[in-house]
Amino acid sequence: MGRHAVALVLLCAGTAALLLSSVALAVLPGRHLRLHALSPAAVLGAPLVALALAVDTGPGRAAVKLLVIGLLLAAGGTVTTMAVARAQS
């Protein structure tokens, strides 16, 4: 399996997580349930998309930058969700 095929699988998985989270956000009642629906998008969807882009780019500085962005999105998304939940309580 080539690098582009792996990147395509990762991109499809990340996009699926983002789409399912957005559907759950639209369907679920109550703000706390909607906050829970955002977690897979922040922790799984966006980092998988960044990883797919890094794999497709190949080794180099651009791939490292994309991986750092993916890690920041994963960590920052969780912290932001917790902060919003505490602010709404």
Side-chain angles (χ1 to χ4, degrees):
M1 195 155 55
R3 188 173 77 214
H4 296 293
V6 172
L8 184 61
V9 168
L10 289 169
L11 184 63
C12 288
T15 304
L18 289 169
L19 287 174
L20 288 174
S21 291
S22 64
V23 168
L25 184 66
V27 171
L28 288 174
R31 60 182 174 212
H32 293 294
L33 290 174
R34 282 185 249 143
L35 278 174
H36 286 295
L38 291 177
S39 294
V43 176
L44 188 65
L48 277 176
V49 171
L51 182 61
L53 292 172
V55 168
D56 194 46
T57 301
R61 293 177 78 186
V64 172
K65 289 177 186 178
L66 286 166
L67 291 175
V68 169
I69 289 170
L71 288 173
L72 288 173
L73 286 171
T78 305
V79 172
T80 304
T81 301
M82 289 173 43
V84 169
R86 287 184 186 212
Q88 289 182 354
S89 297

